[in-house]
Amino acid sequence: MLILWTSAAHWLEQHQLPCPFKAWVYLPCPGCGFQRSLVAFMKGEWISSFEMYPGLMPLLGLLLFVLLHLRKQFTTGASWIQSGYLFVTALILLSYVTRILHHFQNT
Protein backbone atom coordinates (compact mmCIF):
# COMPACT_ATOMS: atom_id res chain seq x y z
CA MET A 1 0.00 0.00 0.00
CA LEU A 2 2.87 2.35 0.83
CA ILE A 3 4.46 1.67 -2.56
CA LEU A 4 1.18 2.53 -4.29
CA TRP A 5 0.92 5.77 -2.27
CA THR A 6 4.47 6.89 -3.08
CA SER A 7 4.12 5.97 -6.74
CA ALA A 8 0.88 7.97 -6.91
CA ALA A 9 2.64 10.95 -5.34
CA HIS A 10 5.50 10.60 -7.80
CA TRP A 11 3.10 10.33 -10.75
CA LEU A 12 1.17 13.42 -9.61
CA GLU A 13 4.43 15.32 -9.20
CA GLN A 14 5.44 14.51 -12.78
CA HIS A 15 2.01 15.23 -14.33
CA GLN A 16 0.86 18.51 -12.83
CA LEU A 17 -1.50 20.60 -14.90
CA PRO A 18 -0.56 24.18 -15.78
CA CYS A 19 -2.85 26.95 -14.59
CA PRO A 20 -4.64 28.56 -17.56
CA PHE A 21 -5.67 31.55 -15.43
CA LYS A 22 -2.05 32.30 -14.58
CA ALA A 23 -1.04 31.86 -18.22
CA TRP A 24 -3.66 34.33 -19.43
CA VAL A 25 -3.78 36.91 -16.62
CA TYR A 26 -0.23 36.53 -15.23
CA LEU A 27 -1.62 36.27 -11.70
CA PRO A 28 -2.08 33.15 -9.61
CA CYS A 29 -5.64 31.87 -9.28
CA PRO A 30 -7.24 30.82 -5.97
CA GLY A 31 -6.37 27.20 -6.79
CA CYS A 32 -2.70 27.76 -7.63
CA GLY A 33 -0.52 25.67 -5.37
CA PHE A 34 -3.15 22.99 -4.77
CA GLN A 35 -1.39 20.31 -6.83
CA ARG A 36 2.04 20.99 -5.33
CA SER A 37 0.49 21.05 -1.86
CA LEU A 38 -1.25 17.72 -2.48
CA VAL A 39 2.02 16.13 -3.60
CA ALA A 40 3.81 17.49 -0.52
CA PHE A 41 0.98 16.21 1.68
CA MET A 42 1.22 12.76 0.11
CA LYS A 43 4.98 12.74 0.73
CA GLY A 44 4.39 13.56 4.41
CA GLU A 45 5.72 17.13 4.13
CA TRP A 46 2.74 18.62 5.95
CA ILE A 47 4.25 21.95 6.92
CA SER A 48 5.34 22.77 3.39
CA SER A 49 1.96 21.50 2.15
CA PHE A 50 0.20 23.98 4.44
CA GLU A 51 2.53 26.80 3.38
CA MET A 52 1.83 26.15 -0.31
CA TYR A 53 -1.96 25.90 0.01
CA PRO A 54 -3.47 26.41 3.47
CA GLY A 55 -6.91 25.19 2.42
CA LEU A 56 -5.86 21.67 1.43
CA MET A 57 -5.78 19.96 4.82
CA PRO A 58 -9.08 21.44 6.07
CA LEU A 59 -10.62 20.53 2.71
CA LEU A 60 -9.40 16.94 2.98
CA GLY A 61 -10.72 16.79 6.54
CA LEU A 62 -14.06 18.13 5.38
CA LEU A 63 -14.25 15.59 2.56
CA LEU A 64 -13.50 12.82 5.05
CA PHE A 65 -16.26 14.11 7.32
CA VAL A 66 -18.70 14.25 4.38
CA LEU A 67 -17.94 10.61 3.57
CA LEU A 68 -18.42 9.64 7.21
CA HIS A 69 -21.67 11.61 7.35
CA LEU A 70 -22.97 9.82 4.25
CA ARG A 71 -22.18 6.50 5.93
CA LYS A 72 -23.28 7.24 9.51
CA GLN A 73 -25.89 10.03 9.07
CA PHE A 74 -24.84 12.25 11.99
CA THR A 75 -27.71 14.29 13.43
CA THR A 76 -25.96 17.66 13.10
CA GLY A 77 -23.73 16.57 10.22
CA ALA A 78 -25.29 18.86 7.62
CA SER A 79 -24.72 21.99 9.70
CA TRP A 80 -21.13 20.93 10.39
CA ILE A 81 -20.60 20.43 6.66
CA GLN A 82 -22.01 23.88 5.87
CA SER A 83 -19.79 25.47 8.51
CA GLY A 84 -16.83 23.51 7.19
CA TYR A 85 -17.45 24.69 3.64
CA LEU A 86 -17.66 28.30 4.81
CA PHE A 87 -14.44 27.92 6.82
CA VAL A 88 -12.52 26.30 3.95
CA THR A 89 -13.81 28.89 1.46
CA ALA A 90 -12.86 31.76 3.77
CA LEU A 91 -9.40 30.24 4.33
CA ILE A 92 -8.80 29.81 0.59
CA LEU A 93 -9.96 33.36 -0.16
CA LEU A 94 -7.90 34.83 2.68
CA SER A 95 -4.76 33.04 1.53
CA TYR A 96 -5.49 34.13 -2.05
CA VAL A 97 -5.83 37.78 -1.07
CA THR A 98 -2.57 37.66 0.90
CA ARG A 99 -0.84 35.94 -2.05
CA ILE A 100 -2.07 38.64 -4.45
CA LEU A 101 -1.04 41.43 -2.08
CA HIS A 102 2.38 39.81 -1.69
CA HIS A 103 2.62 39.50 -5.50
CA PHE A 104 1.96 43.22 -6.01
CA GLN A 105 4.37 44.23 -3.24
CA ASN A 106 7.18 42.33 -5.00
CA THR A 107 6.53 43.83 -8.45
Side-chain angles (χ1 to χ4, degrees), residues 84-96:
Y85 278 133
L86 289 173
F87 173 74
V88 170
T89 301
L91 184 61
I92 291 171
L93 289 176
L94 180 66
S95 66
Y96 178 65

Side-chain angles (χ1 to χ4, degrees), residues 2 6 12-13 19 27 30 32 44 46 48 57 65 70 74 85:
L2 181 62
T6 55
L12 284 174
E13 189 173 29
C19 179
L27 290 173
C32 281
W46 297 336
S48 64
M57 287 187 252
F65 182 78
L70 289 173
F74 302 122
Y85 278 133

Side-chain angles (χ1 to χ4, degrees), residues 7-18:
S7 63
H10 179 71
W11 186 87
L12 284 174
E13 189 173 29
Q14 300 301 317
H15 296 90
Q16 292 186 16
L17 299 172

